[in-house]
Amino acid sequence: MATGRRGAGRRVSWVGWVVRGLLGLVLAVAAVIGGAFLWVRSTALPRVAGAAVVQGLSGPVTVTRDQWGVPHIRAQGSDEDAVFALGFVHWQDRAWQMDFQRRVAQGRLAEVLGEPALAQDRFLRTWGFQRAAESALPALSDRSRRLIRAYTAGVNAAMQEGKTAMEFRILGYTPDAWSDVDSVSWSKLMAFDLGGNYDEELLGRRVVDRLGEAGLNEVFPPYPEGAPTNLSADELPRPAVPPTPPAGTGDTALLPDRTVETLRAHLAAARSLGMERVPGKGSNDWVIAGSRTESGKPILADDPHLALTSPMLWYLADLQGPTLKAIGASIPGLPAIVIGRNERVAWGVTNVNPDVQDLYVEPEGTRLTQRTEVIRVKGKPDVQLVVRESAHGPVISDVAGEDAKAAGPTVALKWTALAPGDTTMDAFLGLNYASDWADFTRALSAYVAPSQNFVYADVDGNTGYYAPGRMPVRRGWDGSLPVPGDGSREWQGFIPFEDLPHTFNPADGLVVTANNRVVPGSYPYEIGNIRNWAEPYRARRITDLLTARPTGLTLDDVKRVQLDTVSLVWQDLKPRMLAATPDGESSRRALELLRGWDGNQTVDSVPALIFEAWLMQLQKLAQDELGNEHAVNSLAVLNALDGGSRLCQDAARQIRDCPQLLTATLRQAVTDLQARLGDDPAGWTYGKLHRVASDHRAFGKVKYLRDVFNHSAPTPGGTNTVNVARPEAGTFRQTHGPSYRQIVDLSDPNRSLYIGSLGQGGSPIGPHASDQQTLWARGEYLPMSTDPKDWGSTRVMTLNSLK
């Protein structure tokens, strides 16, 4: 018995030793992991309090970060000091984003991402974004050059702080010093993202080849007669030029399939970088005169709809020097407030989307120049890329590694943003200083690309609108299809600035823009062809809501409009879709759930998900005819169902007409939802599938890293709602939408509101990586105030000049 007890004691002792050993090991591992985390955190997150001594300032600058991480910059010495500090905080919070953006412009992604990024670099080098930025810098004004130099000095001073973004550690490289041209180059990428239509020229060519010229209006519906335009006929400028007669496609150039596929490779590379034209990608802005508001002063609202990324595109900032006093949304890499207000004026922007690109098929013997670009590839030998150019622009039809003649016709791109002497940066910096309409329009006269709808309001009660930018004049052709480069289809200059669409203090006290058609048919110039504009649903809904109450509008009223999620697309399609004949019990139940729906696309709505799933299937109606995956817009669906279009037919699926198409697509939508969420429709709530996907540009699809860097949340809204949130086909994710919201009250500017889609910080382990996302998804805002009492808890850093 004693021996047994001693054996048991030894076993207990042994087990205890093992347990203690394992516990010690766990604690040691936890200590190592915790220590590593603290080390990464200490070396990655910026210093936001205390004092720093830097080179390049004329006097001290305070940077007060509020409870959301928004910096409120105060410089007493000079405006350049304030911009220096903006560059400093941009790099502190968004170093990786800034370096990634300039690498995109430079076509230097493969250096750090390896061979998978080679296609993107080829596209970027061929188009020559960086070369265009280099040509723009010398054309800028002295003031702009001074501010850019100050910004560059601020960025480089922040680099000297010794902090390293996690992405740099993971990829194993050290970023280069910032240069002045880096602050211009990102604007070229924005111009591509917002100001091109060559993809539509390629698709239009395919439509004509397969469906005839009449097919263009079926696949790309013309803007409806009587739908809202930004300006009415009585608000148009009165240019002293003869009207340009409406143009058809004119003489166009044929492209063999091989050439089209080569050109489409550029589009694939752009899509992989998040730069693509997608339905519902646009923006809203409007300005309401004091005659319509409770305060008697204007209210201005804006929400640009762009790719929702991690980190978010925008960076909220309050920037004040002796004369520069602006607050709003900046873009890391750019030395200005892009959208916002100063002490006297406010402005907002949406995309005009004029036709500013053309594809030219160059004839045999065309004089071409060429250069060789060397692309460095991580872990691989360098790649040499020969880029050819014609008088029209870069040749984008060459296939890497193949003889140019074997690749087919030589296709060159002409685009306003690639022309030398782009002074758009002068315009944005000028807006920061504008004190009245004269200053505002003077600044916009320097604007080149991408053309934007600017709405304006000031503290004196004035409102206005201008659509600046270089818009080509074409005579006898509309730019919708590729054209011969033989000199017969050349631009006849640009619309003069004073003739561009604009109005000041319109009589009805309201300007609404939502990427819809800018001007009615009486305008003497063609800004874009009749198929160039977004569907009118958002513009119509905003206008209806704002005019339903002719006077007494408040900030809360404007918030409700900006956050509205009622679908006018559903209202138009409702009688057509509800007339469908279900072919089974599941389809019947889904149809019944739609019958009583009010069209409000909330996260807990079941009909909202059924509608969007069904619409996705209907938008495929031209894919069998075109032999690709093009999704038509909702207006094309409406027109097809109303007109019994040939597009409804699908021989492979034995669909003879539109009623049969409705039955088949309803069944496909229901089957899809059952596979995702189960058989019971009660569980098909919209927010289960419809979630914002703010993904990281480099690590968003990398296993183990994506969960660290990506951010998601359920979101309301849908296809062409005012709070636009088009679900991505096949995933239902929201990848584009209101990337920033602002509402400016000119009666008391510090009562104004703004919010970003994610957060100020770029590091996933920082406190401000995503702290705005929940508020943004719920439709809440931050105070857009320069008054410290509105900032909540703060942390203050002082930048002192190195003597």
Side-chain angles (χ1 to χ4, degrees):
M1 294 293 292
T3 302
R5 285 195 296 271
R6 285 197 298 271
R10 283 196 295 271
R11 285 194 297 274
V12 171
S13 176
W14 179 80
V15 170
W17 179 82
V18 171
V19 170
R20 286 193 297 273
L22 288 174
L23 180 59
L25 180 62
V26 169
L27 290 174
V29 171
V32 170
I33 293 173
F37 175 80
L38 291 174
W39 177 79
V40 170
R41 184 181 175 91
S42 68
T43 59
L45 297 186
R47 179 163 51 131
V48 297
V53 177
V54 295
Q55 188 167 8
L57 289 175
S58 65
V61 181
T62 59
V63 178
T64 304
R65 282 178 166 87
D66 65 24
Q67 63 180 323
W68 303 104
V70 177
H72 300 269
I73 296 169
R74 300 293 180 265
Q76 301 299 319
S78 68
D79 290 346
E80 286 81 1
D81 287 352
V83 173
F84 176 104
L86 181 66
F88 191 92
V89 297
H90 274 172
W91 187 263
Q92 280 190 305
D93 288 327
R94 303 287 188 86
W96 158 254
Q97 178 185 22
M98 292 172 67
D99 190 65
F100 183 81
Q101 287 173 178
R102 66 170 166 173
R103 283 186 176 276
V104 171
Q106 294 166 350
R108 294 178 56 205
L109 293 173
E111 282 186 24
V112 297
L113 300 180
E115 197 168 27
L118 186 55
Q120 290 95 316
D121 281 355
R122 285 194 175 111
F123 151 65
L124 296 161
R125 298 286 188 99
T126 299
W127 282 55
F129 295 101
Q130 183 73 3
R131 287 166 58 87
E134 290 168 353
S135 75
L137 189 62
L140 298 178
S141 69
D142 289 342
R143 180 178 68 183
S144 294
R145 295 294 300 274
R146 289 196 308 272
L147 293 172
I148 290 172
R149 283 195 296 270
Y151 182 86
T152 297
V155 173
N156 289 326
M159 286 189 192
Q160 301 306 312
E161 287 277 290
K163 303 293 185 177
T164 303
M166 290 177 61
E167 292 92 339
F168 297 144
R169 291 197 185 280
I170 293 170
L171 294 171
Y173 79 96
T174 301
D176 298 334
W178 196 258
S179 72
D180 290 355
V181 73
D182 294 334
S183 292
V184 180
S185 61
W186 183 244
S187 66
K188 295 298 177 182
L189 273 301
M190 291 299 293
F192 177 87
D193 200 28
L194 295 172
N197 72 323
Y198 106 90
D199 54 336
E200 290 183 356
E201 290 192 31
L202 289 181
L203 183 56
R205 179 74 268 168
R206 189 179 191 92
V207 170
V208 171
D209 290 345
R210 296 197 170 212
L211 296 172
E213 195 157 327
L216 286 173
N217 287 348
E218 295 177 84
V219 177
F220 304 112
Y223 195 74
E225 289 292 330
T229 53
N230 295 353
L231 300 184
S232 58
D234 62 316
E235 292 169 341
L236 293 176
R238 298 286 182 259
V241 297
T244 301
T249 57
D251 293 334
T252 61
L254 299 177
L255 294 176
D257 288 345
R258 182 180 184 186
T259 303
V260 171
E261 290 310 307
T262 301
L263 296 175
R264 292 190 67 81
H266 289 280
L267 295 176
R271 280 196 298 273
S272 69
L273 294 168
M275 298 184 297
E276 58 182 319
R277 291 164 61 87
V278 296
K281 179 181 179 180
S283 308
N284 306 316
D285 68 8
W286 61 88
V287 62
I288 310 166
S291 59
R292 290 179 171 271
T293 68
E294 184 180 69
S295 70
K297 288 294 180 72
I299 298 175
L300 182 147
D302 186 21
D303 53 295
H305 306 159
L306 297 167
L308 300 172
T309 57
S310 172
M312 66 181 186
L313 170 67
W314 303 101
Y315 183 90
L316 311 185
D318 171 12
L319 184 64
Q320 299 206 18
T323 58
L324 175 61
K325 301 182 185 298
I327 181 172
S330 67
I331 295 176
L334 301 183
I337 297 299
V338 177
I339 303 172
R341 67 172 179 86
N342 59 30
E343 289 185 318
R344 289 192 48 80
V345 310
W347 65 95
V349 300
T350 66
N351 199 24
V352 173
N353 194 34
D355 188 348
V356 294
Q357 290 181 347
D358 280 308
L359 294 178
Y360 284 90
V361 180
E362 304 289 10
E364 289 284 338
T366 297
R367 182 178 178 275
L368 301 174
T369 61
Q370 71 178 46
R371 67 181 188 274
T372 300
E373 299 267 351
V374 178
I375 303 175
R376 295 176 182 171
V377 184
K378 184 178 182 179
K380 299 285 185 178
D382 293 350
V383 172
Q384 291 195 338
L385 175 70
V386 176
V387 179
R388 302 190 297 163
E389 289 195 17
S390 76
H392 293 115
V395 173
I396 60 174
S397 57
D398 289 348
V399 180
E402 293 192 18
D403 179 71
K405 291 185 179 179
T410 299
V411 182
L413 171 81
K414 187 169 186 176
W415 179 27
T416 55
L418 294 182
D422 185 344
T423 52
T424 301
M425 186 66 74
D426 281 340
F428 275 116
L429 287 167
L431 293 180
N432 284 232
Y433 284 94
S435 62
D436 56 24
W437 177 250
D439 285 347
F440 184 77
T441 55
R442 191 179 302 112
L444 291 183
S445 66
Y447 200 95
V448 175
S451 184
Q452 300 286 289
N453 297 297
F454 282 83
V455 290
Y456 166 93
D458 63 37
V459 294
D460 295 328
N462 298 301
T463 62
Y465 162 88
Y466 223 110
R470 290 183 186 167
M471 302 186 194
V473 174
R474 301 176 181 86
R475 299 197 181 277
W477 57 295
D478 67 4
S480 62
L481 297 174
V483 294
D486 58 6
S488 63
R489 290 291 178 267
E490 300 298 327
W491 295 353
Q492 307 299 306
F494 303 100
I495 301 175
F497 178 75
E498 60 274 13
D499 293 348
L500 290 168
H502 66 275
T503 186
F504 183 58
N505 287 332
D508 63 355
L510 182 65
V511 177
V512 173
T513 89
N515 314 115
N516 52 308
R517 188 171 182 177
V518 174
V519 289
S522 55
Y523 184 66
Y525 296 98
E526 285 292 327
I527 293 176
N529 66 71
I530 58 173
R531 296 173 291 274
N532 221 50
W533 315 107
E535 301 150 278
Y537 293 109
R538 285 183 285 118
R540 194 170 84 206
R541 178 67 175 170
I542 294 166
T543 302
D544 288 348
L545 290 173
L546 292 176
T547 55
R549 184 178 175 186
T551 61
L553 291 169
T554 66
L555 277 181
D556 286 340
D557 293 324
V558 173
K559 278 197 281 187
R560 281 190 287 272
V561 177
Q562 196 170 65
L563 302 170
D564 183 75
T565 53
V566 172
S567 172
L568 294 192
V569 178
W570 163 246
Q571 291 185 15
D572 271 2
L573 287 174
K574 179 178 179 179
R576 288 85 176 170
M577 296 173 81
L578 293 183
T581 302
D583 62 354
E585 179 60 19
S586 296
S587 291
R588 186 196 65 77
R589 290 173 66 193
L591 201 61
E592 286 306 309
L593 285 168
L594 284 171
R595 288 195 188 280
W597 183 42
D598 61 1
N600 195 4
Q601 298 195 243
T602 59
V603 293
D604 57 355
S605 170
V606 170
L609 185 57
I610 296 172
F611 167 64
E612 289 288 2
W614 193 357
L615 182 59
M616 280 181 194
Q617 299 298 331
L618 287 168
Q619 289 178 312
K620 299 177 182 178
L621 60 82
Q623 290 181 359
D624 57 315
E625 287 84 1
L626 298 180
N628 61 20
E629 296 183 354
H630 175 69
V632 300
N633 66 23
S634 48
L635 192 59
V637 172
L638 177 67
N639 291 348
L641 296 179
D642 277 352
S645 170
R646 56 180 167 169
L647 297 181
C648 289
Q649 301 169 14
D650 189 336
R653 294 192 293 164
Q654 298 182 327
I655 296 174
R656 297 188 305 274
D657 53 27
C658 293
Q660 284 192 333
L661 178 71
L662 282 168
T663 298
T665 51
L666 174 58
R667 180 177 65 249
Q668 287 172 316
V670 169
T671 301
D672 181 34
L673 294 180
Q674 287 174 327
R676 295 174 190 269
L677 299 175
D679 290 339
D680 185 4
W684 297 355
T685 54
Y686 194 41
K688 286 185 178 178
L689 296 183
H690 187 255
R691 300 175 62 90
V692 62
S694 291
D695 289 354
H696 193 270
R697 302 288 287 277
F699 301 149
K701 296 180 180 178
V702 179
K703 192 176 181 180
Y704 303 123
L705 291 178
R706 62 191 177 202
D707 291 339
V708 175
F709 287 92
N710 294 349
H711 300 275
S712 183
T715 49
T719 300
N720 288 328
T721 55
V722 176
N723 184 4
V724 72
R726 182 189 69 93
E728 182 182 60
T731 70
F732 291 89
R733 304 183 316 158
Q734 180 188 353
T735 59
H736 296 75
S739 53
Y740 166 75
R741 296 186 182 112
Q742 75 172 23
I743 303 174
V744 183
D745 183 350
L746 277 301
S747 70
D748 183 357
N750 279 340
R751 291 183 62 235
S752 303
L753 305 166
Y754 60 177
I755 187 99
S757 63
L758 195 60
Q760 290 288 97
S763 173
I765 60 175
H768 302 299
S770 60
D771 57 343
Q772 293 179 47
Q773 186 180 69
T774 300
L775 299 176
W776 171 84
R778 290 200 306 242
E780 299 179 23
Y781 297 78
L782 309 182
M784 188 184 191
S785 175
T786 60
D787 189 338
K789 70 177 176 56
D790 297 321
W791 301 347
S793 59
T794 61
R795 304 191 73 182
V796 181
M797 184 176 190
T798 302
L799 303 179
N800 293 307
S801 176
L802 179 65
K803 299 300 183 183

